Amino acid sequence: MTDLLLRGCVLPGRPRLVDIAIADGRITELLTHEPGVRAPAGERIDVGGRVVTPGLVEAHIHLDKALLSERLATGAESVLEAIRMVAEAKRGFTADDIRQRASRVLDMAIVAGTTAMRVHVEVDPIVGLMGMETLLALKQEYAPAIDLRLCAFAQEGILQTPGTEGLLRRALQMGADAVGGVPYNDRDADQHIDIVFGLAQAFNVDVDFHIDFFDEPAHMHIRKVIDRTHRTGWRGRVAVGHLSEASALPAVEQKELAEDLAKAGIGVISLPATDLYLMGRNDDINPPRGLAPIRRLLAADVPVALGTNNVRNPFTTVGTADLAHMAFLAAVAAHMGTPQDLRALVDCLTIYPARILRLPDYGIVPGCRADLVVWDCERLEEIVTAQPFRPWVIKNGRVTIEHERRLRPRWKEAK
Ligand SMILES: [Zn+2]
């Protein structure tokens, strides 16, 4: 028995309309749409020739430090200033405060069609395990609408902030799904990277670094991460965010780096809102954009995700947690405007982040988990170009969001 039938869907790469049959949380069948045919189903939704994609996957977001702009007077002028400002604000965090801000962002993301996300949760002597405890509770509470994967993240460094390694260990014992570091914010980047890989091996979890987040290629810690990925056998289990410095390398070195990343199975998460906001501040004229070289990475078969990162805090003072905005930004900033580019950008919100997070049974074929988004558009590219709203979002085969809009152009009626 079909629980839910989505009628008349436009699916990427399929010339004809499709009906998607769903039972027990999974896609059971894709049927060629026949108008008027009424197959039995618990619930049927007439999608009306709109685009349907798998649920959006947010590969990189900070919920614990989101929505701080309301209590801070300014944004930051640099990455390190943003880290300092948030460290100061963090001293005033309470569990209830984190829960409320994180919930607001989760609610926004779910309306926008996000059905899975990796959350970087700060674990350090300032906030202790308060963020981890709060996010573990939210993971349960929000499970009917979104899968949360929690990455225990050492934003304040590990070696320069004694006690952090022990706290990371505790967070992993509590159930963190991944471990994350930030080698540029510590006194010995190599050792920092080794500690993070050591924890990943000890707890058998994936690794996610904030890395090389400056205008000039002065750090390039990514090379050490590639080396450690091979040595530990963590191929396919490592992701890096930002990687802005790579865009300042000569083209031939960018190409070599992209090939090395592909060989190591390392996913790259570009964070266009934060990268555009914080990079390029040292140049009075012609500032660089500071985005990872998305096109070159994709050309080398590196999985590239576009992530939100921060929502309204000193790192990024704007944001709604709608991933379609990140594709829009990348289309403009990374010069990706052809139909093929625009479709690739949709992949950067769906299949690539799903691969980076190693989500099982992701996609729109029979057997996959029924996590789906219906977009108010008829062509896939419009997801990027026109930012349509999403009338229905489905998680595990159940409708989680039904969104209606009513527009009445009264000025036209008056004519
Ligand atoms: Zn981040």
Side-chain angles (χ1 to χ4, degrees):
M1 168 69 177
T2 296
D3 298 327
L4 175 62
L5 186 67
L6 296 183
R7 304 241 316 139
C9 310
V10 171
L11 295 188
R14 283 190 171 240
R16 296 188 60 191
L17 292 183
V18 170
D19 291 354
I20 303 175
I22 295 163
D24 296 325
R26 290 182 185 268
I27 296 167
T28 52
E29 226 178 335
L30 300 180
L31 310 141
T32 300
H33 178 69
E34 305 283 355
V37 173
R38 287 191 67 84
E43 181 179 0
R44 55 179 62 236
I45 293 175
D46 187 5
V47 165
R50 292 182 175 92
V51 167
V52 178
T53 66
L56 302 182
V57 180
E58 171 71 78
H60 184 132
I61 195 166
H62 300 264
L63 299 177
D64 49 2
K65 61 184 177 195
L67 304 177
L68 295 176
S69 294
E70 292 158 13
R71 66 182 75 163
L72 295 169
T74 60
E77 295 287 335
S78 72
V79 179
L80 296 176
E81 190 190 357
I83 292 174
R84 278 196 297 278
M85 286 173 74
V86 171
E88 198 47 47
K90 202 153 51 171
R91 294 177 199 284
F93 285 4
T94 63
D96 193 50
D97 170 41
I98 295 172
R99 190 183 56 74
Q100 286 193 33
R101 287 182 291 101
S103 302
R104 279 173 64 196
V105 178
L106 283 170
D107 290 341
M108 293 185 231
I110 293 163
V111 171
T114 302
T115 53
M117 63 167 56
R118 175 177 284 170
V119 185
H120 288 267
V121 187
E122 306 207 357
V123 172
D124 53 55
I126 303 174
V127 77
L129 295 162
M130 198 199 312
M132 189 53 64
E133 286 159 1
T134 306
L135 265 302
L136 279 166
L138 286 174
K139 178 176 173 161
Q140 293 290 329
E141 186 187 333
Y142 276 81
I146 189 165
D147 293 322
L148 297 186
R149 303 286 173 93
L150 307 184
C151 177
F153 172 49
Q155 172 70 84
E156 310 296 338
I158 300 173
L159 302 157
Q160 70 183 14
T161 316
T164 301
E165 188 179 347
L167 287 166
L168 288 170
R169 209 171 276 280
R170 292 259 306 278
L172 288 158
Q173 284 161 354
M174 287 163 68
D177 305 283
V179 59
V182 53
Y184 64 76
N185 190 33
D186 213 339
R187 57 178 151 82
D188 185 329
D190 282 0
Q191 227 184 314
H192 180 110
I193 291 167
D194 283 337
I195 292 169
V196 171
F197 271 102
L199 288 167
Q201 287 180 297
F203 288 90
N204 192 24
V205 293
D206 292 0
V207 172
D208 197 329
F209 286 105
H210 286 63
I211 210 156
D212 301 334
F213 188 26
F214 293 88
D215 291 306
E216 299 301 326
H219 301 85
M220 294 308 292
H221 298 140
I222 186 64
R223 299 197 202 285
K224 166 88 176 183
V225 170
I226 292 170
D227 174 70
R228 283 294 172 272
T229 301
H230 287 299
R231 281 169 192 251
T232 52
W234 241 239
R235 193 182 186 287
R237 303 189 64 178
V238 178
V240 294
H242 298 298
L243 198 63
S244 314
E245 293 182 22
S247 64
L249 292 171
V252 62
E253 288 182 41
Q254 287 187 24
K255 193 162 168 287
E256 282 165 13
L257 176 65
E259 285 162 5
D260 291 345
L261 287 166
K263 275 188 214 130
I266 294 176
V268 173
I269 305 162
S270 182
L271 306 160
T274 305
D275 296 346
L276 287 163
Y277 181 69
L278 284 178
M279 295 294 98
R281 295 201 175 225
N282 301 323
D283 298 71
D284 277 344
I285 58 164
N286 281 339
R289 300 176 185 216
L291 292 193
I294 297 171
R295 282 165 39 159
R296 284 208 170 93
L297 293 167
L298 288 173
D301 271 335
V302 176
V304 176
L306 294 167
T308 299
N309 197 30
N310 284 293
V311 178
R312 297 181 231 162
N313 71 12
F315 292 89
T316 318
T317 53
V318 297
T320 62
D322 180 348
L323 278 170
H325 293 173
M326 297 304 117
F328 182 98
L329 281 178
V332 177
H335 298 159
M336 295 181 70
T338 67
Q340 193 187 351
D341 287 338
L342 295 166
R343 290 193 290 271
L345 288 171
V346 175
D347 292 343
C348 294
L349 310 180
T350 52
I351 56 178
Y352 295 136
R355 194 183 303 168
I356 292 171
L357 266 54
R358 299 196 298 142
L359 299 182
D361 307 328
Y362 179 88
I364 307 189
V365 289
C368 283
R369 198 153 278 293
D371 292 357
L372 302 165
V373 189
V374 181
W375 302 77
D376 190 35
C377 63
E378 294 174 3
R379 294 174 62 246
L380 189 69
E381 298 89 316
E382 289 175 88
I383 289 173
V384 185
T385 59
Q387 309 279 291
F389 86 105
R390 286 123 248 191
W392 292 278
V393 181
I394 290 142
K395 174 69 187 167
N396 285 331
R398 292 198 174 151
V399 177
T400 49
I401 295 291
E402 196 174 277
H403 187 169
E404 290 177 15
R405 278 200 178 175
R406 179 175 169 274
L407 174 74
R408 188 175 160 198
R410 284 174 52 163
W411 73 278
K412 288 187 177 172
E413 295 168 15
K415 276 202 256 185

